[in-house]
Amino acid sequence: MLDWLYQLWPGLETSVTLLSLEPPGWGGNLLRGAVNSIIIALGAFILGCVIGIGGAMGKLSGGPITRDLLAVYTTVVRAVPELILILLLYYAGTDLLNQMLRAFGYRPIEISGLVAGIGVLGIVQGAYATEVLRGAIQAVPKGQIEAARAYGMTPFQTFRRVTFPAMLPLALPGLSNLWLIATKDTALLAIVGFSELTLETRQAAGSTRAYFTFFLAAGALYLLMTLVSGRLFGWIETRFRRHQVGARA
Amino acid sequence: MRGFLQPHRIGLIAAALALCVYAAVTMRWDWIPRYAGLGLEGLWRTLWLLALSILIGFAMAVPLGLAQAAGPRIVAVPAKWFCTIIRGTPLLLQIWLIYFGLGSLFPQFPSIRQSELWPYLRQAWPYALLALSMSYAGYEGEVMRGAFKSVPHGQLESARAYGLSRWAVFRRIWLPQALARALPTLGGETVLQLKATPLVATITVIEIYSVASRVRQDTFIIYEPLLLLALVYMAIAGLIGLGFRWLEKRYTPGLG
């Protein structure tokens, strides 16, 4: 079926065999790596949002010490390269956990790359999410929150019923940016040896010497992820904004 | 200064100082003199990689942004795709594609092997510089597109009406205002570019990060080099922030 294409482009046939899903092709490995990347990115993004909500609330309504400590957290994380944070948190995190386990009389454990990756990237994402969500919450008209308080809602009810839904459309562009950063930051875990898409690609490319084939294929996979999630976020944004008067779709 | 030094801040600063003293006393820093020379060399390499990649990348970003903001479709579409591809794939992958891909392709051509450039092409840093510059160009092309579009159209029209040539309008009105509008974003992006430089350590460029990894491998000291490295990056990021704040103060007033 593809014979005429193969004749037109001699290198294509080898590339297709290299990328096929079953061995000797490496396509299966690449896809498995891609799934790992997506899982880590999702986990880190969710963890980051949770930290971000806490951080934003702390920055806006916490005491002076909380606010200063949060400022240190966001400043440090945003100024130090992710790679170094990953190494530091990875080593320090496993060390601390094992020391704690030992103190309580348990045996030390080996932390899986997946959990460590999610934890570390989540802490990095949390710093950026804190700033995004803080800006969004500040943009909610104060009168709405005061009105909710005047109705007798508890602070939690106010947040759930008024602040959160009102700030979400404002936060979505920033959050979608963060999600894109999360998908791309998973590539950094290749350096600590976690077999996500980039490391799988490098191994495949290294053992077959077909660098262009594999790196371009992985690039296409990453691009697919970003383009699809861009569409998805665009759709969510229009959905959440439809009640807003005069909002740009 | 009075506003900064509230009572709780003094306590926090004291706690931070105590932590520093504790780290200085209990942790191992005896490796520093041995690696100081190598570290400075690495720092220098990080800084010029950063500076050069920003210069080259920005020189590419201006036409990329202009093409998207005002160019005909035939240049706007490729420029948009370039930015989308660069922004949609991890930098680490781009670096490896360029280094391993081009690096394995070039030696196959005798004409390249015999050319004057070959001694450079055998080293890793040209590939690192190319990858970093292209990445900066991709992100900043998008920033400049917005900046060019945000300059009020009436200004450009009135400049044309005064008889300025298209090039003069671009050089004296459009570009300076777009630059001034983009400055705050560019500052943040430059810090991001700084944070991207340690990735080139994976293709054997010896910059400050790879010096720290070397200390870790040689001496099995894990935290100290990484902590010092984090401090160095924070200092550089702080300097970049100060520099851009100065630029903003100088160039943003008077924006129409």
Side-chain angles (χ1 to χ4, degrees):
Chain A
M1 185 180 75
L2 290 168
D3 284 346
W4 61 276
L5 246 182
Y6 291 158
Q7 270 165 15
L8 210 69
W9 186 5
L12 187 65
E13 190 167 7
T14 30
S15 294
V16 169
T17 14
L18 281 174
L19 287 172
S20 71
L21 289 182
E22 275 110 43
W26 293 76
N29 291 37
L30 253 59
L31 282 186
R32 231 169 302 148
V35 170
N36 273 340
S37 289
I38 293 176
I39 292 174
I40 291 192
L42 262 181
F45 182 66
I46 292 169
L47 181 60
C49 284
V50 172
I51 296 178
I53 289 177
M57 296 311 269
K59 268 200 169 182
L60 288 174
S61 47
I65 294 180
T66 324
R67 259 183 297 173
D68 279 359
L69 288 180
L70 282 171
V72 169
Y73 163 59
T74 51
T75 315
V76 167
V77 167
R78 291 189 306 163
V80 176
E82 280 82 1
L83 190 54
I84 294 167
L85 287 175
I86 286 173
L87 288 174
L88 264 177
L89 291 172
Y90 186 78
Y91 288 124
T94 40
D95 248 23
L96 274 180
L97 191 73
N98 278 333
Q99 268 176 16
M100 248 165 40
L101 284 175
R102 223 171 289 139
F104 287 111
Y106 294 101
R107 249 186 286 162
I109 50 164
E110 187 86 6
I111 295 181
S112 80
L114 193 76
V115 176
I118 288 177
V120 171
L121 287 184
I123 291 176
V124 175
Q125 288 263 307
Y128 288 91
T130 300
E131 294 297 315
V132 168
L133 293 174
R134 185 181 61 109
I137 292 175
Q138 268 178 328
V140 175
K142 253 218 146 81
Q144 293 190 10
I145 297 170
E146 280 164 6
R149 298 286 292 146
Y151 268 109
M153 291 188 202
T154 62
F156 181 72
Q157 278 176 330
T158 314
F159 181 77
R160 193 171 57 87
R161 290 183 184 165
V162 179
T163 321
F164 186 73
M167 67 126 195
L168 202 57
L170 304 169
L172 272 174
L175 289 182
S176 90
N177 236 345
L178 274 184
W179 162 252
L180 294 184
I181 293 175
T183 53
K184 285 181 285 169
D185 272 359
T186 55
L188 297 178
L189 295 175
I191 293 171
V192 289
F194 181 70
S195 61
E196 44 64 68
L197 181 51
T198 303
L199 189 62
E200 290 282 357
T201 309
R202 191 180 168 174
Q203 282 164 352
S207 41
T208 56
R209 308 244 135 228
Y211 291 105
F212 274 114
T213 310
F214 283 111
F215 282 125
L216 288 178
L221 279 178
Y222 276 114
L223 203 59
L224 192 70
M225 281 189 228
T226 30
L227 291 181
V228 168
S229 41
R231 276 284 159 82
L232 222 60
F233 265 101
W235 179 75
I236 296 173
E237 223 176 300
T238 42
R239 238 187 101 78
F240 274 100
R241 274 183 181 232
R242 62 190 168 178
H243 63 276
Q244 282 185 332
V245 183
R248 290 170 298 141
Chain B
M1 204 62 202
R2 180 70 54 79
F4 180 77
L5 281 178
Q6 291 155 357
H8 77 277
R9 284 247 168 82
I10 295 173
L12 282 177
I13 290 168
L17 278 180
L19 204 65
C20 286
V21 171
Y22 175 78
V25 173
T26 55
M27 291 176 122
R28 287 186 52 192
W29 303 100
D30 51 322
W31 48 271
I32 290 181
R34 245 184 309 145
Y35 290 94
L38 202 61
L40 283 180
E41 246 172 67
L43 181 63
W44 173 239
R45 197 159 292 158
T46 295
L47 288 178
W48 72 247
L49 259 180
L50 177 67
L52 264 185
S53 69
I54 285 173
L55 269 182
I56 300 173
F58 195 72
M60 287 161 77
V62 171
L64 278 172
L66 196 63
Q68 289 181 77
R73 273 180 70 86
I74 194 157
V75 290
V77 173
K80 184 164 177 270
W81 269 101
F82 177 81
C83 291
T84 310
I85 289 174
I86 293 283
R87 283 153 36 101
T89 53
L91 177 58
L92 187 62
L93 194 78
Q94 294 164 17
I95 292 176
W96 285 355
L97 170 70
I98 287 174
Y99 179 67
F100 294 115
L102 287 184
S104 67
L105 193 68
F106 282 159
Q108 293 169 10
F109 296 100
S111 55
I112 295 180
R113 289 183 73 123
Q114 275 138 30
S115 72
E116 312 252 316
L117 284 173
W118 182 241
Y120 295 103
L121 291 178
R122 284 177 59 189
Q123 293 170 335
W125 66 263
Y127 302 97
L129 185 61
L130 177 65
L132 285 177
S133 307
M134 274 176 44
S135 157
Y136 197 72
Y139 283 91
E140 267 36 75
E142 199 71 19
V143 172
M144 289 314 289
R145 178 188 65 101
F148 278 126
K149 273 196 167 167
S150 73
V151 176
H153 216 252
Q155 293 196 14
L156 307 179
E157 279 162 10
S158 48
R160 290 286 287 159
Y162 269 109
L164 263 66
S165 70
R166 273 166 176 276
W167 169 242
V169 173
F170 175 73
R171 195 172 54 87
R172 293 172 64 171
I173 295 172
W174 209 1
L175 185 63
Q177 290 205 43
L179 275 180
R181 271 161 220 269
L183 261 182
T185 326
L186 287 179
E189 294 280 339
T190 304
V191 173
L192 289 183
Q193 179 78 354
L194 166 72
K195 288 167 57 175
T197 53
L199 292 182
V200 303
T202 58
I203 57 167
T204 70
V205 176
I206 313 237
E207 41 74 79
I208 181 100
Y209 168 78
S210 56
V211 174
S213 318
R214 178 123 150 233
V215 174
R216 197 171 74 234
Q217 279 158 17
D218 288 356
T219 61
F220 299 109
I221 300 171
I222 294 176
Y223 297 115
E224 289 85 345
L226 284 175
L227 286 175
L228 194 62
L229 196 58
L231 276 184
V232 169
Y233 278 109
M234 274 163 67
I236 304 175
L239 285 179
I240 293 174
L242 279 182
F244 270 91
R245 199 175 300 167
W246 179 79
L247 281 177
E248 265 173 60
K249 217 184 249 167
R250 225 182 124 183
Y251 291 106
T252 29
L255 270 186

